[in-house]
């Protein structure tokens, strides 16, 4: 999961701002809506969480791939509550900056996904952002490459920015093509503007009530994306079950029949 950190939470107009009377802002709404569903498909409930577009934990350099728990050796946190805790911790420590670069984030997720291509693993990268992409061409190049690996990308746009470039990444009608002419293997991006789900409301009760609707909308395409990755490999649900059993037996020192 990646969260942009390009606005100061001390500013009342910031989308990162927390009203002491309410536990939600638009970022936490997006995190909980998607995280509560995704974590049920993850056996260990461990999630690497990163921030981008800020100077983190005393660094003078703007980072585009910083673990929000401050631990580069182990960026994993436990469950949705761990994600929320690390987000709030990082927000309190970060010096917000910009710009909005997606390529480093997608490349990092792709490197992880590229190590698991048997059909037993599939990865979902959630990016939450409040601005237009600064590195659109490089982002498209990375998405095209990532489409060949077990990875889906969900982008949730928060706030009232123009998200035309995000819509371009969500290639429902035609496959993305890189700057060097390579065509994506499949559509792996789903973009949703949070305002389209919750309207202009910002009160805590409305944000909380919108989580189910948001989860349904952003996760709608993931099953098809998983199927489109597995089918060309000849992997189907029954095959996955057999592979999982074989892997477990091998790990325990026995061989499958």
């Amino acid at each position: 999961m990646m969260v942009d950190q390009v606005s100061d939470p001390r500013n009342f107009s910031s989308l990162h701002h927390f009203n002491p009377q309410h536990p939600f802002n638009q970022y936490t709404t997006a995190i909980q809506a998607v995280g509560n569903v995704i974590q049920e498909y993850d056996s260990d409930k461990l999630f690497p969480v990163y921030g981008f577009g800020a100077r983190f934990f005393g660094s003078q350099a703007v980072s585009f791939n910083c673990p929000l728990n401050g631990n580069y050796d182990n960026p994993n946190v436990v469950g949705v509550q761990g994600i929320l805790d690390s987000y709030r911790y990082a927000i309190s420590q970060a010096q917000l900056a910009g710009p909005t670069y997606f390529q480093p984030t997608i490349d990092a997720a792709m490197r992880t996904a590229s190590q698991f291509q048997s059909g037993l693993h599939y990865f979902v990268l959630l990016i939450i952002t409040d601005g237009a992409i600064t590195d659109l061409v490089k982002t498209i190049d990375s998405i095209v490459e990532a489409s060949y690996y077990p990875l889906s990308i969900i982008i949730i746009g928060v706030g009232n920015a123009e998200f035309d470039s995000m819509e371009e990444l969500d290639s429902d009608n035609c496959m993305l093509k890189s700057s060097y002419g390579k065509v994506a293997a499949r559509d792996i991006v789903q973009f949703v503007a949070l305002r389209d789900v919750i309207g202009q409301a910002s009160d805590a009760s409305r944000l909380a009530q919108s989580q189910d609707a948001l989860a349904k909308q952003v996760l709608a395409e993931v099953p098809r994306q998983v199927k489109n990755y597995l089918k060309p490999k000849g992997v189907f649900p029954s095959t996955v079950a057999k592979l999982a059993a074989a892997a477990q037996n091998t790990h325990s020192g026995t061989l499958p029949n």
Side-chain angles (χ1 to χ4, degrees):
M1 177 178 292
M2 295 292 297
V3 182
D4 81 13
Q5 313 275 301
V6 297
S7 61
D8 192 332
R10 293 170 296 184
N11 187 327
F12 287 105
S13 64
S14 170
L15 293 168
H16 288 294
H17 180 69
F18 282 100
N19 183 331
Q21 303 300 317
H22 302 297
F24 293 96
N25 63 23
Q26 290 194 23
Y27 284 88
T28 60
T29 295
I31 289 169
Q32 289 186 292
V34 179
N36 284 336
V37 176
I38 290 292
Q39 73 172 351
E40 297 308 314
Y41 296 88
D42 191 302
S43 59
D44 60 14
K45 304 292 190 293
L46 294 177
F47 301 99
V49 185
Y50 297 86
F52 63 96
R55 299 177 181 88
F56 292 95
F57 310 118
S59 172
Q60 295 304 305
V62 176
S63 174
F64 298 97
N65 204 29
C66 179
L68 291 193
N69 64 359
N71 188 341
Y72 281 90
D73 293 327
N74 182 14
N76 291 316
V77 300
V78 180
V80 174
Q81 189 58 52
I83 297 172
L84 292 170
D85 290 344
S86 64
Y87 161 67
R88 291 179 174 127
Y89 170 67
I91 280 294
S92 70
Q93 302 291 321
Q95 193 175 12
L96 292 306
T100 303
Y101 289 157
F102 278 12
Q103 184 200 21
T105 298
I106 296 171
D107 284 353
M110 178 169 53
R111 284 193 295 272
T112 298
S114 68
Q115 301 174 45
F116 301 90
Q117 299 186 60
S118 66
L120 287 175
H121 301 82
Y122 197 87
F123 298 84
V124 177
L125 170 63
L126 172 61
I127 301 175
I128 308 173
T129 183
D130 69 352
I133 305 172
T134 309
D135 61 340
L136 181 60
V137 173
K138 290 182 178 180
T139 293
I140 291 174
D141 287 349
S142 291
I143 291 172
V144 169
E145 294 297 333
S147 70
Y148 291 84
Y149 298 108
L151 178 66
S152 288
I153 302 170
I154 295 171
I155 305 173
I156 299 179
V158 297
N160 297 313
E162 292 299 325
F163 293 122
D164 292 347
S165 56
M166 308 293 184
E167 299 284 0
E168 184 178 344
L169 302 180
D170 191 349
S171 54
D172 289 332
N173 298 319
C174 62
M175 293 298 101
L176 289 176
K177 181 183 289 188
S178 71
S179 61
Y180 42 89
K182 187 172 184 177
V183 178
R186 59 198 173 92
D187 172 29
I188 65 170
V189 177
Q190 171 75 342
F191 169 73
V192 174
L194 186 60
R195 62 175 177 246
D196 293 342
V197 180
I198 68 172
Q200 299 300 315
S202 59
D203 61 280
S205 60
R206 180 68 180 275
L207 290 174
Q209 292 168 7
S210 302
Q211 289 181 15
D212 288 345
L214 178 62
K216 182 177 180 179
Q217 193 165 338
V218 300
L219 295 170
E221 293 187 11
V222 172
R224 176 179 57 81
Q225 292 170 356
V226 174
K227 178 182 176 181
N228 289 345
Y229 173 75
L230 294 177
K231 187 175 180 180
K233 296 178 175 293
V235 178
F236 302 93
S238 59
T239 312
V240 171
K242 291 178 181 177
L243 287 170
Q248 184 175 7
N249 288 333
T250 301
H251 181 71
S252 63
T254 61
L255 294 176
N257 294 325

